[in-house]
Amino acid sequence: MQCGFAMLCAGSVRQKNVKNIMLKNILDACGGALGYWAIGFGVAYESGTFIGTSGGRFFLNDYTNYIDFFFQFTFAATAATIVAGTVAERCKMVAYLCYSIFLTAFVYPVVVHAIWSSDGFLSAFNPDPVRGVGMIDFAGSGVVHMTGGATALVAAIVLGPRIGRFYDEDGNPLDKPHTFPAHSVALQVLGTFILWFGWYGFNPGSTLAISPAGYGDVAALCAVTTTLSAAAGAVSAMFTDTILGYIAEGEAEYDLTMCMNGCLGGLVGITAGCSVVEPWAAVIIGLISGMVYVFSSKLLVLLKIDDAVDAIPVHFFNGMWGCIATGLFASPRHTVLAYGATNCGLFYSNGNLLVNEILGIGFIILWIGGVMTPFFIGLNV
């Protein structure tokens, strides 16, 4: 996944900034590893009401399930590296390293504790889950992608746009936003395919086992739904953008960037519910994910928020949609197999799961906004 993000970022920025963005991607992995090893892993999974407070996971002092740490670290590093592309070409290196460590050591683990830890107040793994089901976010549409996307949104607003994007060097608004050409389309496509492949480690891999009865079936379903949603998202985003362009300008143009990011949006959109939705529902989720990406990307331009690689539309907005989609489409037979829960999506059962998904979305937005806003303002002073 880190390699995929690195290639995607390298292809999306101008050539003069490639070396800088590559170093930031490496620092994400390095800072994330150290921060999550020292504090983050314990905060996420040790016992405690709001955060884990004490136990062997801190500094791996008395915890020998090393594969557990390694797998969870990859999620933390992914949440951190989402921001790299958004703030590309305008963020100082030291500030970026500080942010990377802070996010993986504390901010992200608090979200993990709330939604994935057995002590979490929204967790589906809590012995007494809220509304009988908790929040289902199987591989992190909310926990990973919304967290990274919301952080990217805060960072983009605090840092402001790149010179020449919406305003000239004197601060005067441009008549039309300027689009900086991508450095390498080949690297963008390579990064997209690497990320798509890496998603099979995240989504099917989040079963955390394969040999117990039923686990293989869950992993197989995850692989199928992940594939279908990614494909549908790519097609949906490209043709939605083509239709809008044709209506506005009278010419049909097929945008490769829209296709690539629509694919990634479909992957983000299915991540929460990949283990509990039917294949046909994955196609619908992907189709809507593509449209969510296109319209949210245009919304950011309208609001003059500069996102160099469109990470906010892909991860934040489609992360929200992924959580909501799970609350709508989670089917009874898959929910029972993956979670042992009888409350499922609104289209099959009551609205308990959907309410929990919305609560989770609200918690992530409030937590990230409340913590990362003063943090980035302080770094920017």
Side-chain angles (χ1 to χ4, degrees):
M1 297 292 279
Q2 292 297 119
C3 180
F5 280 117
M7 294 301 99
L8 182 62
C9 289
S12 300
V13 301
R14 288 168 286 181
Q15 186 173 6
K16 65 178 182 177
N17 295 303
V18 172
K19 187 175 180 179
N20 179 274
I21 199 67
M22 289 293 93
L23 182 54
K24 287 176 180 174
N25 273 271
I26 293 176
L27 289 178
D28 270 327
C30 298
L34 295 174
Y36 202 68
W37 161 75
I39 302 173
F41 193 38
V43 170
Y45 287 106
E46 291 295 346
S47 298
T49 303
F50 184 65
I51 62 173
T53 53
S54 63
R57 288 179 176 85
F58 289 95
F59 295 94
L60 294 182
N61 185 48
D62 187 24
Y63 190 76
T64 57
N65 188 1
Y66 297 129
I67 190 61
D68 182 31
F69 165 78
F70 176 75
F71 187 69
Q72 298 302 331
F73 146 71
T74 62
F75 282 81
T78 296
T81 203
I82 288 169
V83 186
T86 294
V87 299
E89 305 186 322
R90 63 194 191 278
C91 181
K92 292 182 178 179
M93 196 64 63
V94 174
Y96 191 83
L97 182 60
C98 290
Y99 135 78
S100 182
I101 294 175
F102 182 58
L103 185 76
T104 54
F106 180 66
V107 180
Y108 165 78
V110 170
V111 179
V112 172
H113 189 85
I115 298 173
W116 282 348
S117 169
S118 59
D119 287 343
F121 73 98
L122 283 171
S123 177
F125 307 107
N126 192 303
D128 184 23
V130 61
R131 290 181 181 81
V133 65
M135 177 184 180
I136 292 179
D137 186 4
F138 190 72
S141 286
V143 174
V144 178
H145 297 282
M146 260 198 74
T147 297
T151 303
L153 178 60
V154 173
I157 293 172
V158 172
L159 281 176
R162 291 167 290 177
I163 296 175
R165 176 70 168 121
F166 301 116
Y167 305 93
D168 62 22
E169 293 183 357
D170 298 323
N172 300 312
L174 300 174
D175 294 333
K176 184 178 180 180
H178 177 67
T179 301
F180 297 107
H183 157 59
S184 171
V185 173
L187 287 177
Q188 287 181 301
V189 174
L190 176 63
T192 300
F193 274 120
I194 292 174
L195 285 170
W196 190 347
F197 181 76
W199 237 280
Y200 293 113
F202 268 28
N203 287 6
S206 288
T207 57
L208 302 180
I210 200 71
S211 56
Y215 279 57
D217 295 332
V218 174
L221 175 67
C222 290
V224 171
T225 54
T226 298
T227 303
L228 293 175
S229 184
V235 173
S236 170
M238 186 179 71
F239 282 104
T240 298
D241 180 69
T242 298
I243 293 170
L244 292 175
Y246 184 79
I247 293 172
E249 301 176 5
E251 293 184 4
E253 180 180 350
Y254 303 100
D255 192 323
L256 177 60
T257 299
M258 287 290 169
C259 183
M260 292 185 303
N261 284 337
C263 173
L264 297 177
L267 289 166
V268 172
I270 197 60
T271 296
C274 60
S275 66
V276 295
V277 302
E278 300 286 353
W280 62 264
V283 174
I284 295 176
I285 291 170
L287 290 173
I288 296 176
S289 294
M291 290 184 281
V292 168
Y293 163 69
V294 172
F295 288 110
S296 57
S297 177
K298 295 183 182 301
L299 175 63
L300 290 187
V301 174
L302 186 66
L303 297 175
K304 292 182 171 18
I305 297 174
D306 185 13
D307 185 347
V309 300
D310 263 354
I312 296 168
V314 169
H315 297 279
F316 178 65
F317 286 98
N318 270 304
M320 282 195 290
W321 161 240
C323 294
I324 292 171
T326 302
L328 297 174
F329 291 104
S331 74
R333 64 180 183 132
H334 295 312
T335 305
V336 169
L337 182 60
Y339 286 90
T342 54
N343 285 321
C344 49
L346 181 65
F347 295 153
Y348 296 93
S349 178
N350 53 47
N352 288 347
L353 177 59
L354 180 60
V355 170
N356 291 345
E357 302 295 321
I358 294 173
L359 287 175
I361 291 171
F363 166 71
I364 293 169
I365 292 174
L366 290 174
W367 171 247
I368 299 300
V371 174
M372 296 309 296
T373 300
F375 180 79
F376 278 123
I377 290 174
L379 286 178
N380 200 40
V381 171

